[in-house]
Amino acid sequence: QVQLVESGGGLVQAGGSLRLACVASGLTFRSYTIGWFRQAPGKEREFVAAVRGNGGSTHYKDSVKGRFTISRENAKATAYLQMNSLKPEDTAVYYCAADRSIILSSLGSADQYDYWGQGTQVTVSS
């Protein structure tokens, strides 16, 4: 059984930082692309960042470029999202997702990922 578990969310002030982690089990982690998505109440789930299996290729939503960094440690079966200079509009539930064979043009499409975590709440106060 594949399991993805997110952690690291919390309440921070605008301008602060959080580091989210996604720990995977039940899969060969290095073979899977990892994506981070977020969903605010009443809004559609939106793409935040993705990293390919070997960590060599990363992709970001335009509004988080320069502030967020996605990375992974395959030996620990863990992916991270370092979030700096947080803004109130970053407030959302953040989800980790994994897929074995997703193509480049689908990296930002939530419905193309096979596996999902339970989410972790990030709240940024002004």
Side-chain angles (χ1 to χ4, degrees):
Q1 181 106 338
V2 172
Q3 187 174 28
L4 304 176
V5 179
E6 302 97 331
S7 62
L11 173 62
V12 297
Q13 292 185 323
S17 297
L18 286 172
R19 188 175 184 87
L20 307 183
C22 171
V23 179
S25 59
L27 52 75
T28 302
F29 188 69
R30 66 181 180 273
S31 298
Y32 283 75
T33 295
I34 300 297
W36 285 97
F37 291 77
R38 66 189 183 188
Q39 188 167 25
K43 300 291 183 65
E44 295 292 315
R45 189 167 298 189
E46 68 175 0
F47 172 75
V48 177
V51 59
R52 291 294 192 179
N54 67 356
S57 181
T58 58
H59 307 268
Y60 297 92
K61 175 180 172 64
D62 285 345
S63 65
V64 310
K65 288 179 180 176
R67 299 190 297 125
F68 292 10
T69 303
I70 189 169
S71 62
R72 64 194 296 160
E73 294 184 68
N74 285 341
K76 297 180 179 179
T78 302
Y80 303 94
L81 186 68
Q82 177 67 47
M83 305 186 294
N84 299 326
S85 301
L86 282 161
K87 304 174 180 180
E89 51 262 47
D90 296 317
T91 295
V93 177
Y94 282 69
Y95 297 91
C96 176
D99 194 87
R100 176 66 177 83
S101 59
I102 193 165
I103 63 173
L104 179 62
S105 62
S106 294
L107 286 176
S109 301
D111 63 3
Q112 297 299 304
Y113 287 77
D114 286 335
Y115 303 109
W116 290 85
Q118 82 291 346
T120 186
Q121 177 70 49
V122 171
T123 303
V124 184
S125 63
S126 60

